[in-house]
Amino acid sequence: MQPFVLPEFYMPYPARLNPQLEGARAHSKQWAYTMDMIDVPQHGTVIWDEEDFDSHDYALLCAYTHPDAGAAELDLVTDWYVWVFYFDDHFLELFKRTGDIDHARAYLDRLGRFMPATGESTETPENPVERGLEDLWHRTVPQRSAGWRRRFRESTRNLLDESLWELANINESRVSNPIEYIEMRRKVGGAPWSANLIEHSVHAEVPDEIAAKRPMAVLRDCFADAVHLRNDLFSYQHEVEDEGELSNGVLVFEEFLGCTTQEAADAVNDLLTSRLHQFEHTALTEVPALFDEHAVHPAGRMATFAYVKGLQDWQSGGHEWHLRSSRYMNEGALDSRGGPALPGGPSGLGTSAARIFSSLVVTAPQRTRAFTHRPFEKTGPIDPPEIAIPFPLRLSPHLDAARENLVEWSRRMGILDGPVWDERRLRGIDLPLCGAGIHPDASAEQLDLTSGWLAWGTYGDDYYPVVFGTTGDLPAAKVLTERFKLFMPVHDEPVPPPLNALETSLADLWQRTAGPMRTDARRTFRTAIEVMTESWLWELVNHTQNRIPDPIDYVQMRRRTFGSDLTMSLCRIGHGRSVPPEIYRTRVIQAIEHSAADYACLVNDVFSYRKEIEYEGELHNAVLVVRSFLDVGPDRAFEIVAGLIAARLAEFRHAVDVGLPSLFADHGLDADARATLTGYAEELRNWMAGIVNWHRECVRYTDAELDRLATPSAPGPAGPGAIPSGPTGLGTGALRIPSVRPAAR
C-alpha cells in the first residue's frame, strides 16, 4: 500500500520522446554488461540482474529528458545515467546498509582518480563503478571547453563525495532540517551534474562570463531542487520504508512540521511548484538583462536559450519517466489527479500535454499569492517567540566611547543629513551595542571600525528604499551600486570625489580597513561588499513587482542582504594563511557559516515583523514568506520560523561538535589550522549571541519607537510606510572586523 497519494504536479511543458530510444536501450544494456554491472556479484551481492535493468529503463529516462539529442549523444548520456544509478545502488549495498563510513571514504577517494583534470588516468579500475567512470570520462571531456570540464568535474565530485553526508546521517539516525536538506540534496542528488550533461547533449555551453552569475545559478538551483523534490515524492516508499534512507524531502518535512505523510508530501509538492515558478520568473526577467549587462554575443545568447530549453525538457521528461519506471512508487499516477482536465484527456505514452491544463489550474493559487499581498497590512503589537541568547554574552569594554564616536563620525560623513537618519534615530539603533557583542575582544579602534561598517551597511539598506523604492528608479539605483566599486580600489587606483554620504563613508571605511590587507584579501573583501549591495537591487525589483520571494531564493538572498558573506570574509582575513583556502569550501565549514547566518537572519525577521509588514510595506520577511508559501496565518508562520531558528542553531552545534573534529582528521590539519577554525567557531558564537542581545536591547523594533516614527509630529518621515525600510536585518550590518595583523598583509 502506498504511504500517500501522489499530488497534482505543476508541469506546464509536454514531454517529448527521442526517436533514438530503442537504439539507446540496446546500447546501454550492452555497455552495462561490458562494465560488469548486470548479474556480476559485488562482495557477494548482485546489484542488478537483467530484469532490474530492463524495468528501470534508464534509456527511456534519457530519451524523455534529452528529446533532441542525436543517436551518439543519447547513447553517451544514457551510459552516464546507467553509471550514476548503478553507483547509487552499489554505494547503498556496500556502505549504507553496513554503515561502513571509513571504507566508503576510501572508495570515494579512489573515484576521484578516474576524473583527471588533464591527461589520462593512471589507475586500474577495480569495480564496475570505476570502470564505467573511466570509460565515460574519456568519451566526454575531450569534446568540451576548460570551463565546462571544471564545472562537470566539480558537480561529479559533489555527487560522489556528499554521499558521506547521507551515510553519516543514517549512522546517527539524524534527519536534517529543511534548509540544510535542500542545500545538500543539490550536491548529492546529482541535478547540477545533469545540467552539465544538458549542455553537452545540446552542444550549447553557457558563456563563461555569465555562467557563475546569479540568474544562471538560480536556474541551476531551481532545476536541481525541482528534480530532487519530484524524485523524493516518487521514491519515498522505496527509500524510507525499504532502504531506511533519511535523506528524503517528504520525511524531512514530516519530521520538521510534525504533520502526516500526506501533508508532508503536499508541502514538498508546493515547494517543487514554487521552484518551477522561480525558474520561469528568472528565465523571463533576469536572463535577458544579464545578456545586456555583459554584452553577450548572439551565439552565446542562443546557446544559453538552448540550455534553458534543455532544462525545461529535463523537467517534463523526468516527470514522465517517474510515472513509468518500476524503480518508483507510481501506482495510478497516470490517472487524473481529480483536478480539471481536458475533455476526454488521455493518459498514455506521449500524452503528457493533456495534463497541462489541470496542472496550471490546480497550482494557480500558489502563484497568485506571491503577487497579491497588500502592503502595510495592519498587524498590531506582536508577541514574538522567546529567543534566548544561545551562547554566553560578552561585551567590549569600549562600548560607551564607541557610541559617541559613531555619532561624531556619522555626522562628518553626512549620514545624519537628509530624510533617512537623524541623531536620535542613530542612537536608538545603537549599532555599537551590536559591535560590542559580536566583537567583544576588539580594541577601541577596532570597535569604532566595526561600528562604522555596521552603520554603513544599515544606512545603505535604509537608503535604497527611501531614495529609490518610492520612485521605482532602478536605473539610478544601479548607477549608485556600480559606483561603489570606485571607492574600493584593489591596486591603489585613484578614487573620485564622493557624491553622497554612502560614497563618502565607504571611501573612509575602505581606506581604514583594506589598506593593510594583501591584494587577494582586498579582492575577496570587495566582492563580499558587492554581493551585499547588489542584493539591495534584488529587493527593489521584487517591490516593483509586488512579489513575495520563493522561500528557497529568499533564504539564499537573505544571507546577502544581511551581509553574511562580508562578515565571513572579514573573519577569514583575520585568520592569515594558517588554513588552506579549500577548507573553507568544505561541507562542514559551509554548514557552520550558513547555519549561523540563517539563525541571525531569521531572528531579525521575527523581531522586525511588525516594523516591516505594517509600517514599511516590506515583502522580505521570513514570516511573510512562510505565510504566503504554506497559506497559513501569522501565528502558525511564527511557529514555523521559530522552529527553523532552533533547527539552524542545532545544526550549527552539530557541525561544530561533530563536523569539525572529523574535518580535522580527514584533511590532516595541523595544530595552527585546528586552532584557527576552533577560534572561528567561537567568533561565530559571539556573533550570534551579540545579534540576539542587540535585537532584545535596542529600540529599533519596539512598538514605542514604531509609533514615534509614525507620528507626524515626530522628527523624521511621517505616516505608515514612511519609516525607511530597514536593514532587513541587522541586516547588512552584522559585520565583524578582525584584528589587522602583519600576517594578514
Side-chain angles (χ1 to χ4, degrees), residues 227-266:
V227 167
H228 297 147
L229 292 170
R230 177 179 292 105
N231 178 264
D232 286 349
L233 286 161
F234 280 98
S235 64
Y236 177 89
Q237 187 171 34
H238 172 65
E239 291 183 343
V240 177
E241 296 186 354
D242 298 340
E243 297 180 355
E245 179 63 75
L246 299 180
S247 298
N248 182 285
V250 179
L251 179 64
V252 168
F253 271 58
E254 195 176 356
E255 293 283 332
F256 177 75
L257 295 175
C259 61
T260 67
T261 307
Q262 183 67 60
E263 290 170 334
D266 291 339

Side-chain angles (χ1 to χ4, degrees), residues 538-613:
W538 172 80
E539 290 183 319
L540 287 176
V541 170
N542 284 336
H543 276 289
T544 63
Q545 300 166 348
N546 193 41
R547 175 178 177 268
I548 298 174
D550 160 84
I552 295 176
D553 196 40
Y554 174 76
V555 168
Q556 294 176 322
M557 289 302 294
R558 188 69 175 87
R559 296 169 189 163
R560 299 185 180 194
T561 63
F562 198 82
S564 299
D565 289 344
L566 179 54
T567 302
M568 307 309 177
S569 69
L570 285 169
C571 287
R572 292 176 187 173
I573 290 166
H575 296 171
R577 295 183 179 272
S578 62
V579 179
E582 63 271 15
I583 296 299
Y584 289 107
R585 296 190 291 270
T586 60
R587 169 173 50 84
V588 171
I589 299 301
Q590 289 189 352
I592 290 172
E593 293 179 343
H594 289 176
S595 58
D598 293 344
Y599 173 86
C601 295
L602 294 169
V603 164
N604 175 261
D605 286 355
V606 166
F607 275 90
S608 65
Y609 179 77
R610 187 187 184 199
K611 171 181 175 291
E612 294 182 340
I613 303 306

